[in-house]
Amino acid sequence: MERGDRAGARTKARTWPTRAATRAGARAPFGVSWGAGLWPAAAETLRDWARAEAGPGRLLPFVPVAFGAGIALYFAADHEPVAWVASLAAAVFGVAAFLLRRNRAFPLAVLITAFAAGFAVIALKAQRIAHPVLAKPVQAATLKGFVETREERERTDRFVLRVTEMDTAGRAPALPRVRLSVRKGTAPAVGSFVSLKARLLPPLSPLRPGAYDFGRDLYFQGIAASGFALGAVITQDPPAAGGWRLRYAATMQGMRDAIDARIRLALDGDQRSIATALITGRRDAISTPVNDAMFVSGLGHVLSISGYHMAVVAGVVFFAVRAALALIPALTVTFPIKKAAAAAALAAAAFYLLLSGAEVATQRSFLMTAVVLIAVMVDRRAITFRTLAIAALVVLLIAPESLVHPSFQMSFAATLGLVALVQIGMPGLFATADSSTTARAALWGGREIAMLALASLVAGLATTPYAAYHFHRVTPYGVIANLLAMPVVSAMVMPAGLLGLAAMPFGLDGVFWRIMEIGIDWMIVVSLWVAALPGAIGRIAAFGSGPLLLASLGVVLLGLLRTPLRYAGLALLGLSTGWALLTPQPEILIAGDGRQVALRGPDGRLRLMQSGGDQFRIRQWLAADADSRAADAPSLRDGVSCDADGCVAALADGGLVALSFRADGVADDCARATLVIALAQPPPDCAARLISAELLKSSGALALRRNEGADGGFVTVAVRPKGLDRPWSPAPADVPQESPGSAPTQRTPPRPAPVDATPAAPDQHDED
C-alpha cells in the first residue's frame, strides 16, 4: 500500500465515530446514544480498515501464504493424495479465478487457487521423486555408485552415494541413494565412483510423537537409507559417465576443498571451521561446545549462510565497484555506474550462492538480493513485501518440502519482520538532512546501534515461535550477543573473507584469513560469555503444531497488514503462547524399538529405563521436556531398579512401569505392574496394560499420559497412528491386532524392587 493509501486509512480511523452517529448521540439520552452509536461506528471502521487492506497491490503478499498452507495440508494427510486429482482441482480453481477477475470475489478466488496449487505442487513432486525406503536393517550390503556429496563432522565424515549396483542377498529393494558414515578424513571425493560394504539402517523416524521427522527430509532428498561403511572404501573407474550434475557437484566441491585447504594453512580449530562455514557453507566440523554456545547466545544464524551474508557480499562488491568506477571522471557523466555496480554485485551473489551449496535460506537470500539489485538497475523501489512474496513463491515452487524445515520458517519469519520494520519506518531519533552538522555527528553512532538493536529484536521475536517449537528453547540475550558481535562480523570478518577469496589466485590470501581469525575469536568469546549468563538457555517444553500454526498466522497478520487490524496478530500470538505453555506433557515415553523408556517420577522429572545407550534420543527427550540435565546424568536413574530380566520404576501416583527383557520376567511384571513394555513374548493372560515389541514396530515411538476420566487408563499418541501410510513412513504389512488405546488398567500391589544392574547396551546408531 502506498503512502496515500496509508494516510487515507489513518484519516478514516481518526473519524470514528462517524458524524451520523455523533448526531444521533446528541439527540438521544446518554446511555442510549453510546449503545446506538458504538456498534454501527465500529462496524464502519472495520469495513474501512478491510477496504484499505484489500486495496491495489495488497493481494500478492498473501498468495505465498495460501500456497504454503496448501503444502502444509499435504503433509497433514494420512495417506498419499492422488497427484492428478490435486492438479485438476488446482486447474479448475484457476479457471474460476480467471472468470471472476472483475468480481469482488476475485481476491478470495486467487487465494483458494494458490492454496490448491500448493497442494498440487508438493503432491506432484512426491510422485516424481517416488522411491523405495529401506524397511529393515541390512547387516551387510555390497554397494557401488557415485559420491554426490561429502560432509566433514566433528567425529566422523559422511557422504551420499548414488547407488548403481546393490547386493543384499535379496533382502532389500534397490535403493537410489544412501547416506554413509566413515572414519574422519576417509570420505571419498565428490564425483568419484566407489565400491564398499556397508551396514544399512532405515531412515530415522521421529524420536517421539510430534518430533521432527528426519526420515521425511531424507525421502525428499532421494535418500532411502543411512548406515556405516564396513572396511575400506575402494575408488574404481566408473562404468559410465556420472552426468553433468555430478560434474558440477564435483567442481564446486573441489573449489570448496581448495578454499578450506588454504584456510587450513593459516587457521585451525573452530576458527578454521567457522571461516570455512562463512565462505563455503560447510559448518559440520565446528566443535559441539562452540556450536551450542553460538545457538544459545543467538549467534547461530551467522553459521547458516542467509540474508545477512548475502547482503554483505553484495553490498561490499556493489560499493567497491561503484567507488572504483567513480574514480574515472568520464564514466560518472556518461555511464550508469550505479547500475553497473548492481550487475557486478548480482554476479558475486550468484557465485556465493553456488559456492555455499544453495541451501533454502541461501536461495531465499539470493532471490531477495537479486530482486533488490534488479530493482536498482531498472530504477524501481526494492525492499517491499512483493519482493519477499516473489522470493517465497520461487523457493516453494522449487522445493515445496522446505516449508516444514526450520530453516525456511525462521528465515522468512525474520525477513518478514525486517521488511515490515522498513515499511513502517525506522524511529525518528536519527539525524536527517535538515539536521545541523553537530547533530548529525552526535547521532552518527546512535543510528547504527539503534538499527542493529531494533533489527535483532524484531528478527528474534519473529523467529521465537519456530525456535521454541523445533529446538525447545529461546534466546533471551540474543540482542546483547548481536550488538556485541555483529558489527565485528560485518566490518572485519566478512570483508576479510571476501578479500581472501579475491587474493587466493595470487597467493596473497593468508593475511586476510588471519584478520578473519581475529573477528572470529571475538565472536566465539561473545557467544561463550552470553551462553554462560544466568538464564541464557530459555527452555520451552514441547508443544503441538496447533500453537505453531496460530503463531504463524499472528506473525503474518502482524507483518503484512497495515491498518490497526494488524494488532489481531498480537492477540493470536498471545493465544498461541498460552496454548503452548498449557500443553500437557506425557508421563511415559517409549522408543520405537522399546529399548528406552522414560517416565515421570514423583518429582515431576523424567526417569530413564533402558537396554541400550542412544544418547541422541535421550538428549531429544530431555530437551522436549525442558530438562537441563545431561543425557548421562545420574539423577535420570533415581528410583529405577534393574536386574537381568528388566527394569522397573514408579510413576508419580505410585503405579509401576516395567521394561521386560526376557520372557521369564514378563509374567511377574504382568502380575504386579501397571504398564509393561515387553521386548520378549508376553503371556496371553497379562493383567497389566501391555506394550509389545510387535506393536512398537507398527506404531513407532509412543507417548502416554493419564486419562482424566474415572477409568484411570492412558491416552496414547503414536508416531505412526493407525491408518497412516506415507511414502517416507509406509504402513507395515504385518500390523498386530492389539492397539495402544486408552483402555483401563488393573492395579495390583508392586513387586519388590530388584537390585540395580544395568544390562549391557547393544550398538545404536546416531542420526544427529
Side-chain angles (χ1 to χ4, degrees), residues 97-477:
F98 177 78
L99 296 176
L100 293 172
R101 64 189 182 279
R102 292 185 177 87
N103 191 282
R104 293 177 63 182
F106 176 68
L108 180 61
V110 169
L111 295 180
I112 293 175
T113 301
F115 179 86
F119 189 92
V121 165
I122 183 63
L124 287 170
K125 178 162 187 180
Q127 183 184 67
R128 179 172 59 85
I129 67 169
H131 61 83
V133 174
L134 187 67
K136 297 180 180 180
V138 175
Q139 298 302 321
T142 301
L143 304 173
K144 292 184 178 181
F146 291 95
V147 178
E148 290 191 333
T149 65
R150 185 184 66 188
E151 301 175 55
E152 288 187 11
R153 312 178 76 203
E154 185 181 3
R155 295 184 298 272
T156 61
D157 288 349
R158 195 163 63 182
F159 66 94
V160 172
L161 184 72
R162 190 178 77 195
V163 179
T164 58
E165 295 182 33
M166 177 174 174
D167 182 11
T168 60
R171 291 178 293 176
L175 305 177
R177 289 176 177 83
V178 296
R179 189 175 69 185
L180 302 173
S181 295
V182 294
R183 294 192 310 274
K184 190 167 182 62
T186 63
V190 173
S192 60
F193 185 82
V194 299
S195 66
L196 70 155
K197 292 186 180 294
R199 179 190 178 197
L200 300 180
L201 302 163
L204 187 64
S205 61
L207 301 176
R208 57 172 182 80
Y212 193 76
D213 195 338
F214 299 97
R216 180 185 60 204
D217 272 2
L218 293 182
Y219 179 82
F220 279 96
Q221 296 174 35
I223 299 175
S226 59
F228 306 93
L230 304 175
V233 179
I234 303 172
T235 302
Q236 299 180 340
D237 293 330
W244 70 268
R245 292 180 183 273
L246 198 62
R247 290 194 297 273
Y248 160 76
T251 301
M252 297 310 299
Q253 186 64 43
M255 193 175 300
R256 296 187 196 105
D257 291 341
I259 294 171
D260 183 57
R262 297 291 297 181
I263 295 175
R264 194 185 297 269
L265 293 176
L267 311 179
D268 55 16
D270 288 315
Q271 289 79 3
R272 191 267 302 177
S273 300
I274 293 176
T276 300
L278 294 176
I279 301 299
T280 68
R282 291 165 47 175
R283 58 182 185 272
D284 298 296
I286 302 172
S287 67
T288 300
V290 171
N291 189 70
D292 290 344
M294 293 286 288
F295 281 94
V296 169
S297 64
L299 293 175
H301 65 92
V302 177
L303 302 178
S304 176
I305 294 177
S306 56
Y308 165 76
H309 305 77
M310 196 66 68
V312 171
V313 170
V316 168
V317 173
F318 176 84
F319 288 110
V321 172
R322 189 177 184 184
L325 294 177
L327 295 176
I328 306 174
L331 292 180
T332 60
V333 178
T334 62
F335 187 74
I337 60 174
K338 182 179 178 181
K339 297 180 180 181
L346 181 60
F351 174 74
Y352 192 44
L353 170 73
L354 299 178
L355 181 64
S356 61
E359 293 185 353
V360 171
T362 318
Q363 294 175 27
R364 189 270 311 159
S365 309
F366 172 75
L367 290 170
M368 287 283 294
T369 304
V371 173
V372 169
L373 294 172
I374 292 172
V376 171
M377 288 187 279
V378 297
D379 298 319
R380 296 293 299 272
R381 189 180 177 191
I383 304 176
T384 66
F385 289 116
R386 295 185 183 92
T387 305
L388 182 61
I390 292 171
L393 278 174
V394 173
V395 171
L396 290 177
L397 282 170
I398 296 173
E401 70 278 3
S402 65
L403 178 83
V404 294
H405 197 278
S407 173
F408 177 92
Q409 296 168 7
M410 298 180 73
S411 176
F412 274 94
T415 307
L416 175 60
L418 295 176
V419 174
L421 185 63
V422 172
Q423 293 290 316
I424 294 170
M426 293 293 184
L429 58 89
F430 303 142
T432 64
D434 298 330
S435 301
S436 66
T437 304
T438 304
R440 289 199 299 269
L443 295 176
W444 179 80
R447 173 184 175 86
E448 282 65 32
I449 294 174
M451 287 180 62
L452 180 58
L454 194 58
S456 299
L457 180 63
V458 169
L461 290 176
T463 57
T464 292
Y466 308 99
Y469 178 79
H470 291 289
F471 310 116
H472 318 298
R473 65 189 180 200
V474 296
T475 55
Y477 302 130

Side-chain angles (χ1 to χ4, degrees), residues 7 12 24 47 56 135 182 215 293 339 412 441 467 505 541 648 670 672:
K12 292 176 181 179
R47 282 193 292 269
V182 294
K339 297 180 180 181
F412 274 94
V648 65
C670 285
R672 301 185 180 277

Side-chain angles (χ1 to χ4, degrees), residues 14-42:
R14 287 196 296 267
T15 61
W16 178 79
T18 62
R19 292 189 181 92
T22 303
R23 289 195 298 269
R27 295 191 298 268
F30 174 74
V32 177
S33 69
W34 186 85
L38 176 62
W39 300 115

